[in-house]
Amino acid sequence: MEQHKPCPNCGNELEFSAAHHGLYCTHCGTEQAVLRDPDFVPSGSDYLEVLAELDANAEATEHIAIDCDNCAAHIELPENVVADRCPYCDSPVVAAALSTRALRPTAVLPFRISREEAAEHYRKWLNSRWFMPNKVKREARIRKFKGIYMPHWTYDDNTVTSYTGRRGEYYWVDVNYTTTENGKTVQKTRRERRTRWYPAAGTVYDYFKNLLVPANRTLPEELVEELTPWGLDALEGYQPDYIRGHQEQSYALPLTAGFEEAKKLMEPTIRESIRLDIGGDEQQILTASTYYKNISFKLILLPAWENHFEFQNKTYVFLVNARTGEVQGKRPWSAVKLTFFILFLVVLAAVLGYFIINHIG
Ligand SMILES: [Zn+2]
Ligand SMILES: [Zn+2]
């Protein structure tokens, strides 16, 4: 795996640029296409087979140190990072080949949204938020956007679930009751719904594809998970060329722990299958045991622009999906704007009340 790729014209390190759809030299503007594998099929690896070969005692974190090709500085990459920019000269550094991880990514969604476009999506997102403090709106600094390839596990499998439960069927009964009408006590009847319960048991079969589990929790998980959908049909074979100039994180969540997360993602669908199988008007699930088979997985890289802003001594991280431009972030609320809005509502209610009393009442 090539660790560096100098520009054929000036020798500067090339980097992957979404704006130029390939490798680009920021020094002289030379462009170079990434040699992609046209026959690449994003097929998964057999989960149990790979698991049997994995070292269960492998470290959960890795630290890589490397010398920068451009300025010769000795760089300690951050924890679980295998590609980044040199902190001294900003040159792309790809140390993926030195990773101690037993599994390397096989597929990648290359950056499609450029840094400038990401900043534009972020500005639109800010302006569409209600009650955002004005100070935040002036805060988007393009240079601070950091391109990150986030590792994800994807799992495919078939499930066979045996269950026991109860099927509820509605029926209606006439119920007599007494009430008072015009000062007289009268007998009346009304219809009431009841449920009759029957035992139910059976087996349901489901198929799952591309269950996506973030494999590194450096970035806020709740934001990463909300960046979907990614359009995984566009996956390309892993190439270091796609990484150059961006940060690549290695996985910190083991393959097995990832599958435990995938089980949680399957749960609602399996329960829905059981409910459909039970039928009737209402369902109760008493026991369910699932057998997972034909499990396969992929380790893939998904691209995001990360940035953050400070507001009242707090850091607010936000991410931009570098395929779709979708923005996810935590946000502060403007106390001033909220107060004025509440005052406005109070005044509006008062005016409406005055109008109703004087013109209708
Ligand atoms: Zn050049
Ligand atoms: Zn350097």
Side-chain angles (χ1 to χ4, degrees), residues 138-169:
R138 296 190 292 267
E139 188 93 22
R141 292 216 189 92
I142 292 187
R143 268 189 34 242
K144 286 202 318 190
F145 275 91
K146 188 176 177 64
I148 300 178
Y149 278 107
M150 309 176 294
H152 280 68
W153 300 111
T154 76
Y155 299 90
D156 297 357
D157 72 348
N158 296 93
T159 59
V160 181
T161 307
S162 309
Y163 70 87
T164 61
R166 300 205 296 162
R167 180 179 67 250
E169 285 176 5

PDB file of all heavy atoms in Angstrom, residues 138-169:
ATOM      1  N   ARG A 138     -22.741  33.756  12.822  1.00  0.00           N
ATOM      2  CA  ARG A 138     -21.572  34.355  12.175  1.00  0.00           C
ATOM      3  C   ARG A 138     -20.329  33.471  12.307  1.00  0.00           C
ATOM      4  O   ARG A 138     -19.250  33.877  11.948  1.00  0.00           O
ATOM      5  CB  ARG A 138     -21.291  35.722  12.805  1.00  0.00           C
ATOM      6  CG  ARG A 138     -22.401  36.730  12.594  1.00  0.00           C
ATOM      7  CD  ARG A 138     -21.966  38.112  13.025  1.00  0.00           C
ATOM      8  NE  ARG A 138     -21.777  38.210  14.461  1.00  0.00           N
ATOM      9  CZ  ARG A 138     -22.723  38.604  15.312  1.00  0.00           C
ATOM     10  NH1 ARG A 138     -23.909  38.935  14.858  1.00  0.00           N
ATOM     11  NH2 ARG A 138     -22.495  38.668  16.596  1.00  0.00           N
ATOM     12  N   GLU A 139     -20.508  32.265  12.815  1.00  0.00           N
ATOM     13  CA  GLU A 139     -19.378  31.491  13.301  1.00  0.00           C
ATOM     14  C   GLU A 139     -18.750  30.479  12.324  1.00  0.00           C
ATOM     15  O   GLU A 139     -17.674  29.981  12.579  1.00  0.00           O
ATOM     16  CB  GLU A 139     -19.818  30.747  14.573  1.00  0.00           C
ATOM     17  CG  GLU A 139     -18.732  30.041  15.335  1.00  0.00           C
ATOM     18  CD  GLU A 139     -18.134  30.887  16.447  1.00  0.00           C
ATOM     19  OE1 GLU A 139     -18.816  31.830  16.898  1.00  0.00           O
ATOM     20  OE2 GLU A 139     -17.001  30.600  16.823  1.00  0.00           O
ATOM     21  N   ALA A 140     -19.418  30.159  11.205  1.00  0.00           N
ATOM     22  CA  ALA A 140     -18.919  29.086  10.330  1.00  0.00           C
ATOM     23  C   ALA A 140     -17.557  29.425   9.722  1.00  0.00           C
ATOM     24  O   ALA A 140     -17.456  30.315   8.882  1.00  0.00           O
ATOM     25  CB  ALA A 140     -19.916  28.814   9.221  1.00  0.00           C
ATOM     26  N   ARG A 141     -16.525  28.735  10.151  1.00  0.00           N
ATOM     27  CA  ARG A 141     -15.191  28.976   9.599  1.00  0.00           C
ATOM     28  C   ARG A 141     -14.820  27.818   8.682  1.00  0.00           C
ATOM     29  O   ARG A 141     -14.625  26.703   9.123  1.00  0.00           O
ATOM     30  CB  ARG A 141     -14.159  29.082  10.727  1.00  0.00           C
ATOM     31  CG  ARG A 141     -14.363  30.328  11.560  1.00  0.00           C
ATOM     32  CD  ARG A 141     -13.048  30.919  12.015  1.00  0.00           C
ATOM     33  NE  ARG A 141     -13.283  31.974  12.980  1.00  0.00           N
ATOM     34  CZ  ARG A 141     -13.319  31.766  14.305  1.00  0.00           C
ATOM     35  NH1 ARG A 141     -13.102  30.547  14.779  1.00  0.00           N
ATOM     36  NH2 ARG A 141     -13.560  32.750  15.120  1.00  0.00           N
ATOM     37  N   ILE A 142     -14.710  28.122   7.406  1.00  0.00           N
ATOM     38  CA  ILE A 142     -14.503  27.078   6.401  1.00  0.00           C
ATOM     39  C   ILE A 142     -13.240  26.269   6.683  1.00  0.00           C
ATOM     40  O   ILE A 142     -13.217  25.055   6.571  1.00  0.00           O
ATOM     41  CB  ILE A 142     -14.436  27.695   4.986  1.00  0.00           C
ATOM     42  CG1 ILE A 142     -15.826  28.242   4.599  1.00  0.00           C
ATOM     43  CG2 ILE A 142     -13.991  26.661   3.971  1.00  0.00           C
ATOM     44  CD1 ILE A 142     -15.915  28.708   3.185  1.00  0.00           C
ATOM     45  N   ARG A 143     -12.172  26.959   7.092  1.00  0.00           N
ATOM     46  CA  ARG A 143     -10.894  26.272   7.254  1.00  0.00           C
ATOM     47  C   ARG A 143     -10.927  25.207   8.333  1.00  0.00           C
ATOM     48  O   ARG A 143     -10.127  24.285   8.338  1.00  0.00           O
ATOM     49  CB  ARG A 143      -9.789  27.296   7.546  1.00  0.00           C
ATOM     50  CG  ARG A 143      -9.110  27.778   6.272  1.00  0.00           C
ATOM     51  CD  ARG A 143      -7.873  28.632   6.531  1.00  0.00           C
ATOM     52  NE  ARG A 143      -7.120  28.258   7.705  1.00  0.00           N
ATOM     53  CZ  ARG A 143      -6.935  29.075   8.744  1.00  0.00           C
ATOM     54  NH1 ARG A 143      -7.449  30.278   8.740  1.00  0.00           N
ATOM     55  NH2 ARG A 143      -6.233  28.685   9.773  1.00  0.00           N
ATOM     56  N   LYS A 144     -11.849  25.375   9.279  1.00  0.00           N
ATOM     57  CA  LYS A 144     -11.902  24.423  10.388  1.00  0.00           C
ATOM     58  C   LYS A 144     -12.611  23.111  10.044  1.00  0.00           C
ATOM     59  O   LYS A 144     -12.616  22.190  10.842  1.00  0.00           O
ATOM     60  CB  LYS A 144     -12.588  25.082  11.600  1.00  0.00           C
ATOM     61  CG  LYS A 144     -11.697  26.099  12.302  1.00  0.00           C
ATOM     62  CD  LYS A 144     -12.111  26.359  13.747  1.00  0.00           C
ATOM     63  CE  LYS A 144     -13.604  26.469  13.914  1.00  0.00           C
ATOM     64  NZ  LYS A 144     -14.044  26.937  15.218  1.00  0.00           N
ATOM     65  N   PHE A 145     -13.235  23.029   8.848  1.00  0.00           N
ATOM     66  CA  PHE A 145     -13.907  21.783   8.485  1.00  0.00           C
ATOM     67  C   PHE A 145     -12.874  20.674   8.286  1.00  0.00           C
ATOM     68  O   PHE A 145     -11.926  20.840   7.519  1.00  0.00           O
ATOM     69  CB  PHE A 145     -14.726  21.954   7.206  1.00  0.00           C
ATOM     70  CG  PHE A 145     -16.090  22.516   7.464  1.00  0.00           C
ATOM     71  CD1 PHE A 145     -16.308  23.888   7.432  1.00  0.00           C
ATOM     72  CD2 PHE A 145     -17.153  21.671   7.757  1.00  0.00           C
ATOM     73  CE1 PHE A 145     -17.560  24.413   7.686  1.00  0.00           C
ATOM     74  CE2 PHE A 145     -18.412  22.184   8.009  1.00  0.00           C
ATOM     75  CZ  PHE A 145     -18.619  23.554   7.980  1.00  0.00           C
ATOM     76  N   LYS A 146     -13.080  19.545   8.966  1.00  0.00           N
ATOM     77  CA  LYS A 146     -12.126  18.442   8.919  1.00  0.00           C
ATOM     78  C   LYS A 146     -12.803  17.252   8.245  1.00  0.00           C
ATOM     79  O   LYS A 146     -13.888  16.842   8.666  1.00  0.00           O
ATOM     80  CB  LYS A 146     -11.722  18.090  10.356  1.00  0.00           C
ATOM     81  CG  LYS A 146     -10.606  17.094  10.482  1.00  0.00           C
ATOM     82  CD  LYS A 146     -10.259  16.924  11.968  1.00  0.00           C
ATOM     83  CE  LYS A 146      -9.187  15.871  12.166  1.00  0.00           C
ATOM     84  NZ  LYS A 146      -7.909  16.237  11.559  1.00  0.00           N
ATOM     85  N   GLY A 147     -12.157  16.715   7.203  1.00  0.00           N
ATOM     86  CA  GLY A 147     -12.723  15.566   6.485  1.00  0.00           C
ATOM     87  C   GLY A 147     -12.362  14.260   7.185  1.00  0.00           C
ATOM     88  O   GLY A 147     -11.187  13.981   7.385  1.00  0.00           O
ATOM     89  N   ILE A 148     -13.368  13.493   7.566  1.00  0.00           N
ATOM     90  CA  ILE A 148     -13.127  12.257   8.324  1.00  0.00           C
ATOM     91  C   ILE A 148     -13.819  11.064   7.663  1.00  0.00           C
ATOM     92  O   ILE A 148     -14.989  11.141   7.316  1.00  0.00           O
ATOM     93  CB  ILE A 148     -13.645  12.400   9.780  1.00  0.00           C
ATOM     94  CG1 ILE A 148     -12.931  13.564  10.488  1.00  0.00           C
ATOM     95  CG2 ILE A 148     -13.437  11.095  10.558  1.00  0.00           C
ATOM     96  CD1 ILE A 148     -13.408  13.797  11.903  1.00  0.00           C
ATOM     97  N   TYR A 149     -13.061   9.982   7.493  1.00  0.00           N
ATOM     98  CA  TYR A 149     -13.660   8.713   7.081  1.00  0.00           C
ATOM     99  C   TYR A 149     -13.973   7.911   8.338  1.00  0.00           C
ATOM    100  O   TYR A 149     -13.066   7.524   9.074  1.00  0.00           O
ATOM    101  CB  TYR A 149     -12.714   7.926   6.177  1.00  0.00           C
ATOM    102  CG  TYR A 149     -12.744   8.367   4.738  1.00  0.00           C
ATOM    103  CD1 TYR A 149     -11.702   9.094   4.176  1.00  0.00           C
ATOM    104  CD2 TYR A 149     -13.836   8.041   3.934  1.00  0.00           C
ATOM    105  CE1 TYR A 149     -11.739   9.498   2.848  1.00  0.00           C
ATOM    106  CE2 TYR A 149     -13.882   8.441   2.596  1.00  0.00           C
ATOM    107  CZ  TYR A 149     -12.831   9.158   2.067  1.00  0.00           C
ATOM    108  OH  TYR A 149     -12.875   9.550   0.753  1.00  0.00           O
ATOM    109  N   MET A 150     -15.256   7.691   8.560  1.00  0.00           N
ATOM    110  CA  MET A 150     -15.700   7.005   9.779  1.00  0.00           C
ATOM    111  C   MET A 150     -15.905   5.520   9.487  1.00  0.00           C
ATOM    112  O   MET A 150     -16.672   5.166   8.587  1.00  0.00           O
ATOM    113  CB  MET A 150     -17.027   7.613  10.257  1.00  0.00           C
ATOM    114  CG  MET A 150     -16.997   9.131  10.376  1.00  0.00           C
ATOM    115  SD  MET A 150     -18.631   9.774  10.832  1.00  0.00           S
ATOM    116  CE  MET A 150     -19.579   9.364   9.368  1.00  0.00           C
ATOM    117  N   PRO A 151     -15.255   4.621  10.254  1.00  0.00           N
ATOM    118  CA  PRO A 151     -15.432   3.193  10.002  1.00  0.00           C
ATOM    119  C   PRO A 151     -16.808   2.723  10.486  1.00  0.00           C
ATOM    120  O   PRO A 151     -17.287   3.166  11.534  1.00  0.00           O
ATOM    121  CB  PRO A 151     -14.319   2.556  10.834  1.00  0.00           C
ATOM    122  CG  PRO A 151     -14.062   3.529  11.931  1.00  0.00           C
ATOM    123  CD  PRO A 151     -14.356   4.895  11.382  1.00  0.00           C
ATOM    124  N   HIS A 152     -17.428   1.895   9.705  1.00  0.00           N
ATOM    125  CA  HIS A 152     -18.722   1.302  10.071  1.00  0.00           C
ATOM    126  C   HIS A 152     -18.689  -0.188   9.744  1.00  0.00           C
ATOM    127  O   HIS A 152     -18.113  -0.587   8.738  1.00  0.00           O
ATOM    128  CB  HIS A 152     -19.861   1.928   9.254  1.00  0.00           C
ATOM    129  CG  HIS A 152     -20.328   3.248   9.770  1.00  0.00           C
ATOM    130  ND1 HIS A 152     -19.545   4.381   9.732  1.00  0.00           N
ATOM    131  CD2 HIS A 152     -21.514   3.620  10.334  1.00  0.00           C
ATOM    132  CE1 HIS A 152     -20.241   5.397  10.257  1.00  0.00           C
ATOM    133  NE2 HIS A 152     -21.422   4.965  10.628  1.00  0.00           N
ATOM    134  N   TRP A 153     -19.337  -0.992  10.583  1.00  0.00           N
ATOM    135  CA  TRP A 153     -19.620  -2.376  10.235  1.00  0.00           C
ATOM    136  C   TRP A 153     -20.958  -2.401   9.528  1.00  0.00           C
ATOM    137  O   TRP A 153     -21.868  -1.656   9.901  1.00  0.00           O
ATOM    138  CB  TRP A 153     -19.731  -3.265  11.481  1.00  0.00           C
ATOM    139  CG  TRP A 153     -18.517  -3.329  12.362  1.00  0.00           C
ATOM    140  CD1 TRP A 153     -18.399  -2.810  13.617  1.00  0.00           C
ATOM    141  CD2 TRP A 153     -17.270  -3.983  12.088  1.00  0.00           C
ATOM    142  NE1 TRP A 153     -17.153  -3.077  14.136  1.00  0.00           N
ATOM    143  CE2 TRP A 153     -16.442  -3.802  13.217  1.00  0.00           C
ATOM    144  CE3 TRP A 153     -16.770  -4.688  10.993  1.00  0.00           C
ATOM    145  CZ2 TRP A 153     -15.146  -4.306  13.290  1.00  0.00           C
ATOM    146  CZ3 TRP A 153     -15.477  -5.186  11.062  1.00  0.00           C
ATOM    147  CH2 TRP A 153     -14.687  -5.005  12.189  1.00  0.00           C
ATOM    148  N   THR A 154     -21.084  -3.251   8.508  1.00  0.00           N
ATOM    149  CA  THR A 154     -22.426  -3.540   7.992  1.00  0.00           C
ATOM    150  C   THR A 154     -22.605  -5.039   8.051  1.00  0.00           C
ATOM    151  O   THR A 154     -21.661  -5.800   7.784  1.00  0.00           O
ATOM    152  CB  THR A 154     -22.644  -3.064   6.538  1.00  0.00           C
ATOM    153  OG1 THR A 154     -21.981  -3.970   5.650  1.00  0.00           O
ATOM    154  CG2 THR A 154     -22.138  -1.658   6.311  1.00  0.00           C
ATOM    155  N   TYR A 155     -23.782  -5.458   8.427  1.00  0.00           N
ATOM    156  CA  TYR A 155     -24.075  -6.893   8.559  1.00  0.00           C
ATOM    157  C   TYR A 155     -25.270  -7.267   7.698  1.00  0.00           C
ATOM    158  O   TYR A 155     -26.239  -6.507   7.594  1.00  0.00           O
ATOM    159  CB  TYR A 155     -24.400  -7.236  10.020  1.00  0.00           C
ATOM    160  CG  TYR A 155     -23.278  -6.946  10.987  1.00  0.00           C
ATOM    161  CD1 TYR A 155     -23.173  -5.703  11.609  1.00  0.00           C
ATOM    162  CD2 TYR A 155     -22.306  -7.909  11.276  1.00  0.00           C
ATOM    163  CE1 TYR A 155     -22.143  -5.415  12.491  1.00  0.00           C
ATOM    164  CE2 TYR A 155     -21.268  -7.632  12.165  1.00  0.00           C
ATOM    165  CZ  TYR A 155     -21.196  -6.386  12.758  1.00  0.00           C
ATOM    166  OH  TYR A 155     -20.168  -6.113  13.636  1.00  0.00           O
ATOM    167  N   ASP A 156     -25.192  -8.456   7.092  1.00  0.00           N
ATOM    168  CA  ASP A 156     -26.326  -9.077   6.390  1.00  0.00           C
ATOM    169  C   ASP A 156     -26.581 -10.401   7.093  1.00  0.00           C
ATOM    170  O   ASP A 156     -25.613 -11.067   7.499  1.00  0.00           O
ATOM    171  CB  ASP A 156     -25.993  -9.401   4.928  1.00  0.00           C
ATOM    172  CG  ASP A 156     -25.676  -8.148   4.099  1.00  0.00           C
ATOM    173  OD1 ASP A 156     -25.781  -7.038   4.647  1.00  0.00           O
ATOM    174  OD2 ASP A 156     -25.331  -8.323   2.923  1.00  0.00           O
ATOM    175  N   ASP A 157     -27.817 -10.807   7.226  1.00  0.00           N
ATOM    176  CA  ASP A 157     -28.086 -12.153   7.749  1.00  0.00           C
ATOM    177  C   ASP A 157     -29.538 -12.565   7.548  1.00  0.00           C
ATOM    178  O   ASP A 157     -30.369 -11.767   7.114  1.00  0.00           O
ATOM    179  CB  ASP A 157     -27.702 -12.268   9.239  1.00  0.00           C
ATOM    180  CG  ASP A 157     -28.652 -11.516  10.164  1.00  0.00           C
ATOM    181  OD1 ASP A 157     -29.471 -10.730   9.669  1.00  0.00           O
ATOM    182  OD2 ASP A 157     -28.557 -11.717  11.388  1.00  0.00           O
ATOM    183  N   ASN A 158     -29.806 -13.833   7.824  1.00  0.00           N
ATOM    184  CA  ASN A 158     -31.167 -14.365   7.876  1.00  0.00           C
ATOM    185  C   ASN A 158     -31.459 -14.698   9.318  1.00  0.00           C
ATOM    186  O   ASN A 158     -30.585 -15.172  10.032  1.00  0.00           O
ATOM    187  CB  ASN A 158     -31.292 -15.658   7.071  1.00  0.00           C
ATOM    188  CG  ASN A 158     -31.053 -15.430   5.599  1.00  0.00           C
ATOM    189  OD1 ASN A 158     -29.944 -15.571   5.116  1.00  0.00           O
ATOM    190  ND2 ASN A 158     -32.094 -15.069   4.896  1.00  0.00           N
ATOM    191  N   THR A 159     -32.696 -14.461   9.751  1.00  0.00           N
ATOM    192  CA  THR A 159     -33.057 -14.829  11.114  1.00  0.00           C
ATOM    193  C   THR A 159     -34.231 -15.800  11.091  1.00  0.00           C
ATOM    194  O   THR A 159     -35.103 -15.727  10.233  1.00  0.00           O
ATOM    195  CB  THR A 159     -33.455 -13.599  11.957  1.00  0.00           C
ATOM    196  OG1 THR A 159     -34.563 -12.958  11.323  1.00  0.00           O
ATOM    197  CG2 THR A 159     -32.314 -12.625  12.100  1.00  0.00           C
ATOM    198  N   VAL A 160     -34.189 -16.730  12.050  1.00  0.00           N
ATOM    199  CA  VAL A 160     -35.290 -17.664  12.252  1.00  0.00           C
ATOM    200  C   VAL A 160     -35.711 -17.479  13.707  1.00  0.00           C
ATOM    201  O   VAL A 160     -34.903 -17.665  14.608  1.00  0.00           O
ATOM    202  CB  VAL A 160     -34.832 -19.121  12.021  1.00  0.00           C
ATOM    203  CG1 VAL A 160     -35.997 -20.077  12.202  1.00  0.00           C
ATOM    204  CG2 VAL A 160     -34.195 -19.263  10.645  1.00  0.00           C
ATOM    205  N   THR A 161     -36.938 -17.060  13.924  1.00  0.00           N
ATOM    206  CA  THR A 161     -37.379 -16.742  15.282  1.00  0.00           C
ATOM    207  C   THR A 161     -38.595 -17.576  15.677  1.00  0.00           C
ATOM    208  O   THR A 161     -39.623 -17.543  14.999  1.00  0.00           O
ATOM    209  CB  THR A 161     -37.741 -15.245  15.401  1.00  0.00           C
ATOM    210  OG1 THR A 161     -36.650 -14.458  14.931  1.00  0.00           O
ATOM    211  CG2 THR A 161     -38.067 -14.868  16.839  1.00  0.00           C
ATOM    212  N   SER A 162     -38.445 -18.349  16.758  1.00  0.00           N
ATOM    213  CA  SER A 162     -39.583 -19.102  17.295  1.00  0.00           C
ATOM    214  C   SER A 162     -40.191 -18.285  18.420  1.00  0.00           C
ATOM    215  O   SER A 162     -39.469 -17.733  19.243  1.00  0.00           O
ATOM    216  CB  SER A 162     -39.128 -20.448  17.857  1.00  0.00           C
ATOM    217  OG  SER A 162     -38.354 -21.113  16.881  1.00  0.00           O
ATOM    218  N   TYR A 163     -41.498 -18.226  18.435  1.00  0.00           N
ATOM    219  CA  TYR A 163     -42.135 -17.377  19.444  1.00  0.00           C
ATOM    220  C   TYR A 163     -43.352 -18.060  20.051  1.00  0.00           C
ATOM    221  O   TYR A 163     -43.904 -19.007  19.479  1.00  0.00           O
ATOM    222  CB  TYR A 163     -42.564 -16.035  18.818  1.00  0.00           C
ATOM    223  CG  TYR A 163     -43.729 -16.197  17.860  1.00  0.00           C
ATOM    224  CD1 TYR A 163     -45.052 -16.154  18.337  1.00  0.00           C
ATOM    225  CD2 TYR A 163     -43.521 -16.404  16.509  1.00  0.00           C
ATOM    226  CE1 TYR A 163     -46.119 -16.322  17.473  1.00  0.00           C
ATOM    227  CE2 TYR A 163     -44.583 -16.573  15.645  1.00  0.00           C
ATOM    228  CZ  TYR A 163     -45.890 -16.532  16.128  1.00  0.00           C
ATOM    229  OH  TYR A 163     -46.948 -16.704  15.276  1.00  0.00           O
ATOM    230  N   THR A 164     -43.749 -17.580  21.215  1.00  0.00           N
ATOM    231  CA  THR A 164     -45.063 -17.891  21.772  1.00  0.00           C
ATOM    232  C   THR A 164     -45.704 -16.565  22.135  1.00  0.00           C
ATOM    233  O   THR A 164     -45.003 -15.594  22.437  1.00  0.00           O
ATOM    234  CB  THR A 164     -44.976 -18.763  23.044  1.00  0.00           C
ATOM    235  OG1 THR A 164     -44.230 -18.032  24.029  1.00  0.00           O
ATOM    236  CG2 THR A 164     -44.293 -20.090  22.773  1.00  0.00           C
ATOM    237  N   GLY A 165     -47.008 -16.531  22.059  1.00  0.00           N
ATOM    238  CA  GLY A 165     -47.687 -15.278  22.357  1.00  0.00           C
ATOM    239  C   GLY A 165     -49.186 -15.477  22.458  1.00  0.00           C
ATOM    240  O   GLY A 165     -49.650 -16.610  22.646  1.00  0.00           O
ATOM    241  N   ARG A 166     -49.906 -14.395  22.357  1.00  0.00           N
ATOM    242  CA  ARG A 166     -51.365 -14.475  22.414  1.00  0.00           C
ATOM    243  C   ARG A 166     -51.983 -13.564  21.362  1.00  0.00           C
ATOM    244  O   ARG A 166     -51.466 -12.482  21.085  1.00  0.00           O
ATOM    245  CB  ARG A 166     -51.858 -14.058  23.812  1.00  0.00           C
ATOM    246  CG  ARG A 166     -51.299 -14.943  24.914  1.00  0.00           C
ATOM    247  CD  ARG A 166     -52.196 -14.947  26.138  1.00  0.00           C
ATOM    248  NE  ARG A 166     -52.313 -13.658  26.798  1.00  0.00           N
ATOM    249  CZ  ARG A 166     -53.289 -13.347  27.650  1.00  0.00           C
ATOM    250  NH1 ARG A 166     -54.241 -14.239  27.913  1.00  0.00           N
ATOM    251  NH2 ARG A 166     -53.330 -12.162  28.221  1.00  0.00           N
ATOM    252  N   ARG A 167     -53.065 -14.055  20.770  1.00  0.00           N
ATOM    253  CA  ARG A 167     -53.771 -13.254  19.771  1.00  0.00           C
ATOM    254  C   ARG A 167     -55.065 -12.726  20.399  1.00  0.00           C
ATOM    255  O   ARG A 167     -55.834 -13.483  20.970  1.00  0.00           O
ATOM    256  CB  ARG A 167     -54.096 -14.108  18.546  1.00  0.00           C
ATOM    257  CG  ARG A 167     -54.844 -13.344  17.439  1.00  0.00           C
ATOM    258  CD  ARG A 167     -55.141 -14.205  16.224  1.00  0.00           C
ATOM    259  NE  ARG A 167     -56.109 -15.255  16.543  1.00  0.00           N
ATOM    260  CZ  ARG A 167     -55.834 -16.548  16.614  1.00  0.00           C
ATOM    261  NH1 ARG A 167     -54.608 -16.968  16.399  1.00  0.00           N
ATOM    262  NH2 ARG A 167     -56.764 -17.435  16.908  1.00  0.00           N
ATOM    263  N   GLY A 168     -55.260 -11.441  20.321  1.00  0.00           N
ATOM    264  CA  GLY A 168     -56.465 -10.828  20.878  1.00  0.00           C
ATOM    265  C   GLY A 168     -57.462 -10.522  19.771  1.00  0.00           C
ATOM    266  O   GLY A 168     -57.098  -9.933  18.758  1.00  0.00           O
ATOM    267  N   GLU A 169     -58.730 -10.971  19.957  1.00  0.00           N
ATOM    268  CA  GLU A 169     -59.759 -10.642  18.967  1.00  0.00           C
ATOM    269  C   GLU A 169     -60.868  -9.844  19.643  1.00  0.00           C
ATOM    270  O   GLU A 169     -61.321 -10.182  20.728  1.00  0.00           O
ATOM    271  CB  GLU A 169     -60.304 -11.925  18.332  1.00  0.00           C
ATOM    272  CG  GLU A 169     -59.298 -12.505  17.346  1.00  0.00           C
ATOM    273  CD  GLU A 169     -59.716 -13.834  16.736  1.00  0.00           C
ATOM    274  OE1 GLU A 169     -60.856 -14.264  17.015  1.00  0.00           O
ATOM    275  OE2 GLU A 169     -58.904 -14.413  16.016  1.00  0.00           O
TER     276      GLU A 169
END
